[in-house]
Amino acid sequence: MITRYDHRSVELQDEHTEQAWSAYRLSDMPQILDGYHKAVVLAALMRTGVLQRLREGRTDLGDLLGTLDPYFGEKLLGWLSTAGYTQRVDGGYAPTEAGAALLSDTALAQLSFYIEAYGPVTQRIEDLLRGTARYGHDIQRDGAALGRSCNTLFDLYHIDVVLEAFARRSATCALDLGCGAGGFLIEAARRDQQFRGIGLDISEGAIAEASKRAVEAGVAERVSFHVADAFDAATWPAACTRADALFAAGVLHEHFRQGEEAVIEILNRFAAAWDRGLKSIVLGEPELYYDRQDNDSDLDLVHILTLQGFPRRHNGWLDLFPRSDLACRAVYSRRNAGPRFAFYDLVPRRLEGTE
């Protein structure tokens, strides 16, 4: 039996409503909402282990979801297929080519950086705006998540750059200021059997984690970690005298919140530390271009919300160094890869040109 439907289609035209919808499209709001929902869904799938199981090549739906709700799990994986990230396979889902890129170390580290590390702050922008909460008192970024994501990105894109800078100065033992969970020193020691390192951080929890990770990585005999103020050499343990290179990554720009003179004062402390037998001071800092490439605007936003000083491009640093006791003898970077970073090889001005 065939049922036939007879109907007429009526399409209305109205210039006012068409202009209104055209303006909505022009507003970027469709892309804003799409990006927001993708981010929160992917973050939930990351925290529940689904993305990791997709990375491992699992496709069976039951295996992917485990004890998670089967309805929501399947529907969300299916929803990701509308964006081209997943595809249906027998009994479950698998990532597409775009999905595999989404599951890369870089993409997931960036997701963790903005959603897990800074999410506790961005979710409370209204409270900050109203003055009903203060950053550093009522609101904090997630330091553990921040450390994990930064370590992943640094390992992928920047460790080799720093080790190259050290090698050119024949430095083999680095003092890492603000070492966090020790990612740089541990990975550098793992890659180079001759490498030695000492890490300093004011956080007892970070130092405990770094020491534990060093043991697990089998490099504890060559790297050590200590609780100390990275910017006050008077608190540094005696072990620091073994270092022939001083390294700090992504920590100095935060002091711009107190003005340029505060940063210059720290640079001068580094210059004074040269008398401990250093061969190199390598300062690594992110470059903020204030454009929409590579999440620059997002990096700008989280610095606003967490009351940090702002990163600056390398020309800004090169203008600053002459006002300090340090001179820049080389700038290292990696082309077209990773978050945009520059590494400055510095020497006390009194020794400039004596090598």
Side-chain angles (χ1 to χ4, degrees):
M1 177 178 176
I2 300 177
T3 301
R4 297 183 181 277
Y5 297 95
D6 294 320
H7 66 274
R8 291 182 298 169
S9 296
V10 180
E11 185 177 75
L12 302 180
Q13 288 185 305
D14 180 276
E15 183 176 353
H16 174 72
T17 56
E18 290 182 5
Q19 288 178 347
W21 195 251
S22 178
Y24 169 67
R25 288 174 170 167
L26 184 63
S27 72
D28 272 349
M29 187 55 71
Q31 293 78 14
I32 291 169
L33 295 175
D34 180 60
Y36 169 77
H37 288 120
K38 285 176 181 174
V40 295
V41 167
L42 289 169
L45 294 176
M46 177 174 64
R47 288 192 289 261
T48 54
V50 176
L51 295 190
Q52 178 58 35
R53 291 189 282 273
L54 280 172
R55 276 166 56 99
E56 295 169 357
R58 306 188 199 185
T59 58
D60 178 76
L61 189 61
D63 197 17
L64 286 171
L65 299 180
T67 60
L68 300 175
D69 186 282
Y71 170 82
F72 288 112
E74 180 173 11
K75 292 301 182 184
L76 289 176
L77 287 169
W79 181 78
L80 288 176
S81 69
T82 64
Y85 297 136
T86 61
Q87 56 190 342
R88 186 75 180 179
V89 297
D90 292 340
Y93 287 88
T96 61
E97 182 178 1
L102 190 73
L103 297 173
S104 68
D105 288 339
T106 299
L108 292 182
Q110 288 284 74
L111 180 66
S112 178
F113 182 90
Y114 286 106
I115 301 300
E116 291 193 310
Y118 282 100
V121 183
T122 55
Q123 291 167 10
R124 298 192 63 184
I125 291 177
E126 183 178 345
D127 293 328
L128 293 171
L129 191 60
R130 291 183 182 278
T132 56
R134 290 187 300 159
Y135 180 76
H137 297 272
D138 313 292
I139 302 171
Q140 295 280 4
R141 65 189 182 185
D142 186 329
L146 180 64
R148 289 193 301 269
S149 56
C150 288
N151 281 345
T152 297
L153 294 169
F154 201 90
D155 289 355
L156 282 168
Y157 298 110
H158 302 311
I159 277 188
D160 289 339
V161 179
V162 178
L163 294 181
E164 173 69 16
F166 287 163
R168 294 195 178 199
R169 304 298 174 188
S170 301
T172 59
C173 182
L175 172 59
D176 185 359
L177 303 181
C179 65
F184 164 66
L185 293 180
I186 292 170
E187 180 62 16
R190 191 188 65 79
R191 296 186 186 192
D192 182 352
Q193 296 300 311
Q194 304 304 313
F195 183 87
R196 302 287 189 275
I198 303 105
L200 303 182
D201 201 284
I202 202 167
S203 168
E204 294 183 6
I207 292 301
E209 177 66 18
S211 299
K212 175 185 173 184
R213 293 182 60 199
V215 171
E216 293 172 346
V219 298
E221 291 184 359
R222 291 185 286 123
V223 296
S224 62
F225 298 95
H226 309 268
V227 177
D229 185 342
F231 302 109
D232 183 0
T235 70
W236 296 359
C240 296
T241 59
R242 299 198 302 267
D244 57 10
L246 187 152
F247 175 64
V251 295
L252 201 55
H253 70 269
E254 295 192 15
H255 293 268
F256 281 126
R257 65 179 175 269
Q258 299 168 329
E260 290 188 343
E261 291 303 319
V263 175
I264 291 172
E265 180 183 353
I266 294 172
L267 292 173
N268 290 344
R269 293 179 203 167
F270 291 169
W274 193 275
D275 292 333
R276 293 172 176 258
L278 297 180
K279 296 177 180 177
S280 179
I281 296 174
V282 175
L283 172 67
E285 285 292 339
E287 297 203 81
L288 190 58
Y289 281 66
Y290 294 101
D291 58 24
R292 298 185 69 179
Q293 179 179 331
D294 295 337
N295 301 106
D296 262 359
S297 60
D298 300 296
L299 187 62
D300 189 18
L301 175 64
V302 297
H303 278 76
I304 291 171
L305 298 177
T306 53
L307 306 178
Q308 298 183 55
F310 293 91
R312 54 183 59 190
R313 295 179 66 170
H314 66 274
N315 288 339
W317 284 101
L318 295 179
D319 289 339
L320 186 72
F321 292 139
R323 295 164 53 193
S324 76
D325 294 337
L326 291 172
C328 183
R329 49 189 178 182
V331 181
Y332 296 86
S333 61
R334 184 180 291 281
R335 180 182 177 186
N336 296 328
R340 290 181 279 192
F341 241 83
F343 297 88
Y344 307 94
D345 180 13
L346 307 171
V347 63
R349 191 166 304 284
R350 67 183 185 277
L351 300 178
E352 188 179 11
T354 62
E355 299 171 278

